[in-house]
Amino acid sequence: LLTIPVIEEERWSRPLAVISCTLAPVFIGCIFLVHCNEAKVSTNKVLEISGSIGILLGAVAFCSTENAKPPQRFLWFWLAGGFFMSIVWFYIVADQLVVCLEMLGSIFHINPTILGLTVLAWGNSIGDLVADIALACSGRNGVKIVVAGCYAGPLFNTVIGLGLSLAVACWSSYPEPLMISDDDGSLFFIIGFLVAGLAWALIMI
């Protein structure tokens, strides 16, 4: 609530919107310092820049909004800001989840690849499972949407999510090539699960 602006009519709060616009850049600056500061940029410089941007956005939000109703002009700006900050929060939660899984793998001596293919993958699919069941029970058109979504969703994640991640990783290691090592044989587990999943989907279809 302090970093994601809410512009719904029944939940609108001008002070909260101004606070979220002010704190969102500072929050992003702190995340940059903790996770992405490979160039060792000065902490004071990052906080000064993010704080200045936050104060500017907060002032604009204060001057362009009303207490009674959410903003009607430049609605795309508010929606884009909320969407971007939601992605930032997803990034933080996913990063901490991976850290917790790595910790459990270290404690119980389980290969991180196995945890990713089982615990993380199954947990990540629970939301899709609930949505797919609800849509499939709604009728014939719902079933078509579910079957299409079961393949379109993972395909989009692979092409966009994995593609962009690899592109950023290659860009970070440039001019050196990005090397993906298989010291522990984990790629064989990944390929095995992929082949089994595709075979099972072929049989069911």
Coordinates of all heavy atoms in Angstrom, one line a residue, residues 3 22 24 32 41 44 50 56 81 93 119 127 137 142 152 158 165 175 191 195 202-203:
T3 N 3.7 1.6 -1.6 CA 4.6 1.7 -2.8 C 3.7 1.5 -4.1 O 4.2 1.8 -5.1 CB 5.7 0.7 -2.8 OG1 5.2 -0.6 -2.6 CG2 6.7 1.0 -1.6
T22 N 5.7 8.8 -3.7 CA 7.0 9.3 -3.1 C 7.9 8.2 -2.7 O 9.1 8.3 -3.0 CB 6.7 10.2 -1.9 OG1 5.8 11.3 -2.2 CG2 8.0 10.8 -1.3
A24 N 7.8 4.9 -3.8 CA 8.1 3.9 -4.8 C 9.5 4.1 -5.4 O 10.3 3.1 -5.4 CB 7.1 3.9 -5.9
F32 N 17.9 -1.7 -5.8 CA 19.1 -1.6 -6.7 C 20.3 -1.7 -5.9 O 21.3 -2.4 -6.3 CB 19.0 -0.3 -7.5 CG 20.3 0.0 -8.2 CD1 20.5 -0.6 -9.5 CD2 21.3 0.8 -7.7 CE1 21.7 -0.4 -10.2 CE2 22.4 1.1 -8.4 CZ 22.6 0.5 -9.7
V41 N 27.9 1.7 -7.3 CA 27.5 3.1 -7.2 C 27.3 3.6 -5.8 O 26.9 2.8 -4.9 CB 26.2 3.3 -8.0 CG1 25.7 4.8 -8.1 CG2 26.3 2.8 -9.5
N44 N 24.8 7.0 -1.2 CA 24.2 8.4 -1.1 C 23.7 8.9 -2.4 O 22.6 9.5 -2.5 CB 25.2 9.3 -0.5 CG 25.6 9.0 0.9 OD1 24.8 8.4 1.7 ND2 26.8 9.3 1.3
S50 N 16.9 8.8 -6.2 CA 15.6 8.1 -6.0 C 14.7 9.0 -5.1 O 13.5 9.1 -5.4 CB 15.8 6.7 -5.4 OG 16.4 6.8 -4.2
L56 N 9.5 14.6 -6.4 CA 8.9 15.2 -7.6 C 7.6 14.5 -8.0 O 6.5 15.2 -8.2 CB 9.9 15.1 -8.8 CG 9.4 15.6 -10.1 CD1 9.0 17.1 -10.0 CD2 10.4 15.3 -11.2
G81 N 2.4 2.6 -13.4 CA 3.2 2.7 -12.1 C 2.8 1.5 -11.2 O 3.6 0.9 -10.6
V93 N 9.6 -11.2 -3.8 CA 9.1 -12.4 -3.2 C 9.7 -13.6 -3.9 O 10.1 -14.6 -3.2 CB 7.5 -12.4 -3.4 CG1 7.0 -13.8 -2.9 CG2 6.9 -11.3 -2.5
V119 N 9.1 -28.7 -5.9 CA 8.5 -27.8 -4.9 C 8.2 -26.5 -5.6 O 7.0 -26.0 -5.5 CB 9.4 -27.6 -3.7 CG1 8.7 -26.7 -2.7 CG2 9.7 -29.0 -3.0
G127 N -1.9 -21.7 -8.5 CA -2.8 -20.6 -8.9 C -3.4 -21.0 -10.3 O -4.6 -20.8 -10.5
C137 N -15.0 -25.8 -15.4 CA -16.3 -26.1 -15.0 C -17.4 -25.1 -15.5 O -18.6 -25.4 -15.2 CB -16.3 -26.1 -13.4 SG -15.3 -27.4 -12.7
G142 N -15.1 -22.4 -21.8 CA -14.1 -22.4 -20.7 C -13.0 -23.5 -20.9 O -11.9 -23.2 -20.6
A152 N -0.2 -22.0 -23.8 CA 0.2 -20.6 -24.0 C 0.9 -20.0 -22.9 O 1.9 -19.3 -23.1 CB -1.0 -19.8 -24.4
T158 N 8.4 -19.2 -21.1 CA 9.7 -19.7 -21.7 C 10.3 -18.7 -22.6 O 11.5 -18.3 -22.6 CB 9.5 -21.1 -22.3 OG1 9.0 -22.0 -21.4 CG2 10.9 -21.6 -22.9
S165 N 15.6 -13.2 -19.6 CA 16.6 -13.4 -18.6 C 18.0 -13.8 -19.2 O 19.0 -13.3 -18.8 CB 16.1 -14.6 -17.7 OG 14.9 -14.2 -17.1
P175 N 32.1 -8.7 -22.9 CA 32.2 -9.4 -24.1 C 32.6 -10.9 -23.9 O 32.8 -11.6 -24.9 CB 33.4 -8.7 -24.8 CG 34.2 -8.2 -23.6 CD 33.3 -7.9 -22.5
I191 N 15.9 -32.1 -18.5 CA 15.5 -32.7 -19.8 C 14.5 -33.9 -19.6 O 13.5 -34.1 -20.3 CB 16.7 -33.1 -20.6 CG1 17.5 -31.9 -21.0 CG2 16.3 -33.9 -21.9 CD1 18.8 -32.2 -21.7
V195 N 10.8 -34.1 -21.0 CA 10.3 -35.1 -21.9 C 9.1 -35.9 -21.3 O 8.1 -36.2 -22.0 CB 11.5 -36.1 -22.2 CG1 10.9 -37.4 -22.9 CG2 12.6 -35.4 -23.0
L202 N 0.9 -35.3 -24.5 CA 0.6 -36.0 -25.8 C -0.4 -37.1 -25.5 O -1.4 -37.2 -26.3 CB 1.8 -36.5 -26.5 CG 1.6 -37.2 -27.8 CD1 1.0 -36.2 -28.8 CD2 2.9 -37.8 -28.3
I203 N -0.2 -37.9 -24.5 CA -1.1 -39.0 -24.2 C -2.5 -38.5 -23.8 O -3.5 -39.0 -24.3 CB -0.6 -39.9 -23.1 CG1 0.7 -40.6 -23.6 CG2 -1.6 -40.9 -22.6 CD1 1.5 -41.3 -22.5

